[in-house]
Amino acid sequence: MPWREPGFSATERVTLKLRGLYEQFGYRKYHVGQFEEYALYLRFKSFLTGGRILSFTDLDGRLLALKPDVTLSIAKNTQLSGGAEKSYYIENVYRESASTGAMKEIRQMGLEYLGGDGAYAQAEALYLARETLKAVGPAHVLELSHMGFLLGLFDALGLEGEAREKVLSCLSSKSAHGVAEEARRAGIGAAGVEALAKLCSLSGEFSQTLAQARELCLNPRMTAALNELNQAAEAAGVDESLRLDFTLQGDMEYYDGLMMAGYLSGAPRAVLYGGRYDGLMKKLGRDACAVGFALYLDDLKGLPRPQSDCDVDVLLLAGDGCDPAKLLAEVRALTGQGLRVRVDTQPPEGLRCGEVRRFEGRDSQC
Amino acid sequence: MLNIALPKGRLGDKVYRLLAGAGYDCREVFDDSRKLVFESEDAGVRYFLVKPSDVTVYVEHGAADIGIAGKDILLESGADVYELLDLGLGKCRMCVAAKNGYVEDPDRTLKVATKFANIAKRYYASLGREIEIIKLNGSIELAPLLRLSDVIVDIVESGKTLKENDLCVVREIFPISARFIANKASYKFNAAAIDEMISRLSAAIREEGEA
């Protein structure tokens, strides 16, 4: 009997599609346990955005945590043997919700590319991030930034410590007046204040914005960051959906090179975050490049989906005492025609039916 | 079509007048006071009139693409939005105030009455001061008078209410003014229209300042 394709939600559809895409590029599915040693997150607390972690004492006395992040677990546990390790995952993480102040279960699908050639890895990650967005919806924007460019500018201007954090915070809200105020308070000169404030408007179409950013370069670190961005973007293909925005900040603090965020028309916030995190690998004692991204599957639920007019095509009302064999045969005959059928004794409340039929013994009628 | 969350009240009225003057007119806004949504297809805008403290909620969740909110509301809500322009309107200050002659006892937990619990918590945490927050929703000035709290953290405009209630400003926490905010994702898809609106609005504010 030919099965009818179910009314997939955006999340289900995308998950299936992306599994195929990632496996085509040589990524293997990776499953991480729900719990990790709490000590791991304590050690890397500065890399994790957001405060609280759900922890509990296991039966053997070990302090465990519901994982707030998948990347950290994969980076720690993956065996690297010279070549690259490529993994993708579909997992839940547990984080504090900024809007409700309560813990939230968040479903993520993402990939990690550990080891191998860094330049190729980030070009591939960038390409796949854009393909990921394309798989969800046609109207999308993939935004890029590079921490090296920002930190290079901060170094050149002598912006350090708490002032640096405050400027970064103002940058994330594109508050040019806030950036200027904080920079002035930190004793930065007029030219420096202007350069920092300019970062807020340094966003838009990739090539044009890159050219504008080059005018701000004050040291080799900034130039190298832009070159790296350009190399990855050129390799992945520059189109109008690719943008540069130096106010972009990731969902996690461990991104220390190229960073990306993906937006879909109709979703109120970024649905994809990713980037390069070699520094995290180093802290884990591993000398390897690392790049990855995660798609926030829960945020896709709010996107418009093709609405079916009804929940079932045929509601078959069968009274008590019907012959079950005949009834099932009738259901199979209808489903065989590709119809969705539900049997009940009376119309269920709230169920949208294409048509209602009454089954009476041998005969059925509309 | 840009969806704009305007705060009900004086600030919203003023910003609307500036926007209308800058080409974003929607005649019916003041015609029917019970209506909450006003649309002008020609100008490409749809206005929502909402409670000032809700503007950030509408914008952060994408129900509105842009909005006008005070810096106090932005900092209290911690909304993850773009703050694209300081409009320089509705200027006032977030302050710590106490009864005239009040002397703080550093040996005691400080009792702070406020509507702005997050701002107060963050401010005193930055000073390393232990406090107890007493959350109130209005008439904050009463709290120190009735010994409900030692100090209050509240908005001070002219200082007249404080003066009339035998209170004074002990410390200014930060200056406040109205900000033009935008939903981060909406901005990615409507940057040109939003930037154009900011530029016209800035020009209207400048002109008004010069007049």
Side-chain angles (χ1 to χ4, degrees), chain A residues 248 260-264 267-273 296 299, chain B residues 80 184-185:
Chain A
L248 163 66
M260 49 190 158
Y263 297 86
L264 291 166
R269 59 187 76 86
V271 296
L272 178 146
Y273 280 109
Y296 286 71
D299 287 338
Chain B
D80 187 20
K184 287 191 169 180

Side-chain angles (χ1 to χ4, degrees), chain B:
Chain B
M1 178 75 68
L2 282 180
N3 293 309
I4 308 167
L6 276 184
K8 280 184 193 167
R10 263 187 306 168
L11 176 64
D13 293 351
K14 186 160 190 179
V15 173
Y16 170 71
R17 270 194 295 276
L18 288 166
L19 283 168
Y24 301 100
D25 193 11
C26 185
R27 292 195 185 285
E28 29 166 22
V29 169
F30 293 108
D31 291 352
D32 179 356
S33 60
R34 284 176 187 272
K35 240 176 125 176
L36 298 172
V37 183
F38 308 93
E39 190 175 315
S40 166
E41 219 165 289
D42 296 342
V45 287
R46 185 184 294 126
Y47 291 102
F48 309 138
L49 291 180
V50 303
K51 201 174 164 187
S53 55
D54 289 341
V55 169
T56 52
V57 180
Y58 281 85
V59 175
E60 187 178 21
H61 288 84
D65 301 305
I66 52 184
I68 307 296
K71 185 68 180 173
D72 52 324
I73 307 287
L74 272 172
L75 287 176
E76 180 62 18
S77 67
D80 187 20
V81 294
Y82 284 142
E83 184 191 320
L84 297 172
L85 182 67
D86 180 352
L87 297 172
L89 304 172
K91 282 187 177 173
C92 49
R93 301 169 292 157
M94 183 64 73
C95 295
V96 180
K99 233 181 136 188
N100 279 318
Y102 168 76
V103 179
E104 189 179 325
D105 179 358
D107 195 32
R108 273 183 53 220
T109 300
L110 190 71
K111 283 189 185 176
V112 183
T114 186
K115 248 197 295 195
F116 301 95
N118 294 328
I119 289 172
K121 265 188 235 165
R122 270 199 303 269
Y123 173 65
Y124 282 105
S126 75
L127 301 178
R129 182 77 165 98
E130 193 184 345
I131 61 163
E132 181 189 336
I133 294 272
I134 297 161
K135 176 91 169 79
L136 295 176
N137 295 304
S139 302
I140 317 290
E141 295 83 1
L142 258 181
L145 301 180
L146 302 178
R147 293 174 183 268
L148 178 62
S149 73
D150 300 313
V151 296
I152 61 172
V153 167
D154 204 13
I155 294 170
V156 178
E157 206 169 336
S158 64
K160 205 174 158 203
T161 316
L162 291 180
K163 208 172 168 188
E164 282 177 4
N165 287 291
D166 194 26
L167 302 171
C168 64
V169 171
V170 177
R171 232 165 166 172
E172 182 179 318
I173 305 181
F174 56 81
I176 298 169
S177 55
R179 311 294 161 107
F180 184 103
I181 61 172
N183 173 276
K184 287 191 169 180
S186 295
Y187 186 73
K188 309 297 164 196
F189 297 95
N190 300 298
I194 294 174
D195 288 344
E196 170 67 19
M197 182 178 275
I198 288 174
S199 132
R200 287 205 227 168
L201 188 57
S202 308
I205 291 171
R206 263 198 314 276
E207 273 171 32
E208 199 180 75
E210 285 161 10

Side-chain angles (χ1 to χ4, degrees), chain A residues 45-52 68 95-96 250-254:
Chain A
K45 208 166 190 298
S46 64
F47 285 105
L48 302 169
T49 307
R52 281 175 287 179
R95 292 180 190 166
E96 187 182 346
D251 60 339
M252 285 291 152
E253 306 278 333
Y254 44 65

Side-chain angles (χ1 to χ4, degrees), chain A residues 6-315:
Chain A
F8 286 123
S9 69
T11 316
E12 290 165 330
R13 209 165 19 88
V14 163
T15 309
L16 280 174
K17 249 193 208 176
L18 294 180
R19 285 189 65 164
L21 174 69
Y22 299 162
E23 285 176 14
Q24 229 176 338
F25 277 75
Y27 291 81
R28 286 188 298 180
K29 190 153 185 293
Y30 190 106
H31 177 61
V32 283
Q34 289 294 86
F35 317 129
E36 268 282 4
E37 294 273 357
Y38 181 74
L40 174 71
Y41 302 118
L42 203 60
R43 193 174 152 215
F44 291 94
K45 208 166 190 298
S46 64
F47 285 105
L48 302 169
T49 307
R52 281 175 287 179
I53 293 167
L54 271 181
S55 62
F56 65 96
T57 309
D58 201 6
L59 298 177
D60 58 4
R62 286 181 311 148
L63 189 59
L64 297 180
L66 278 162
K67 59 180 186 301
D69 180 61
V70 179
T71 303
L72 194 52
S73 301
I74 294 183
K76 178 178 88 81
N77 299 326
T78 302
Q79 296 293 322
L80 289 173
S81 50
E85 274 301 324
K86 299 168 79 171
S87 319
Y88 77 90
Y89 59 86
I90 309 163
E91 296 286 343
N92 292 335
V93 293
Y94 301 86
R95 292 180 190 166
E96 187 182 346
S97 159
S99 56
T100 62
M103 294 306 286
K104 195 177 170 195
E105 185 180 60
I106 299 165
R107 192 137 183 88
Q108 287 186 332
M109 178 168 196
L111 58 83
E112 310 295 343
Y113 191 136
L114 308 180
D117 174 33
Y120 173 74
Q122 64 188 15
E124 184 180 289
L126 202 157
Y127 172 78
L128 288 175
R130 193 169 49 192
E131 289 302 307
T132 298
L133 293 172
K134 268 189 203 166
V136 188
H140 62 271
V141 164
L142 182 63
E143 207 168 66
L144 301 181
S145 180
H146 200 298
M147 275 311 279
F149 182 78
L150 289 182
L151 298 179
L153 182 58
F154 293 167
D155 287 346
L157 299 175
L159 187 70
E160 282 165 358
E162 202 186 339
R164 184 179 279 210
E165 295 306 314
K166 284 183 174 168
V167 166
L168 271 174
S169 161
C170 292
L171 275 176
S172 76
S173 57
K174 281 194 189 290
S175 168
H177 45 275
V179 169
E181 201 178 302
E182 292 299 343
R184 265 186 229 112
R185 202 172 287 159
I188 305 293
V193 171
E194 197 184 329
L196 286 168
K198 241 186 208 167
L199 289 177
C200 291
S201 53
L202 207 54
S203 65
E205 188 271 322
F206 184 83
S207 306
Q208 199 185 338
T209 313
L210 188 77
Q212 289 168 355
R214 287 206 188 277
E215 291 169 17
L216 282 183
C217 284
L218 294 173
N219 54 26
R221 189 177 185 186
M222 294 175 78
T223 312
L226 295 185
N227 290 343
E228 208 179 286
L229 274 171
N230 193 38
Q231 189 188 36
E234 290 285 342
V238 176
D239 65 14
E240 58 176 16
S241 71
L242 199 65
R243 314 268 175 90
L244 255 189
D245 188 330
F246 289 100
T247 66
L248 163 66
Q249 272 159 47
D251 60 339
M252 285 291 152
E253 306 278 333
Y254 44 65
Y255 299 124
D256 51 10
L258 177 141
M259 290 193 296
M260 49 190 158
Y263 297 86
L264 291 166
S265 177
R269 59 187 76 86
V271 296
L272 178 146
Y273 280 109
R276 186 94 179 241
Y277 52 93
D278 297 12
L280 176 67
M281 294 294 279
K282 208 169 205 173
K283 201 163 178 201
L284 283 162
R286 317 183 119 195
D287 188 19
C289 82
V291 62
F293 62 80
L295 177 70
Y296 286 71
L297 293 170
D298 297 326
D299 287 338
L300 308 185
K301 287 180 186 158
L303 294 173
R305 58 185 278 202
Q307 283 291 324
S308 172
D309 294 338
C310 51
D311 302 314
V312 291
D313 298 310
V314 179
L315 173 65

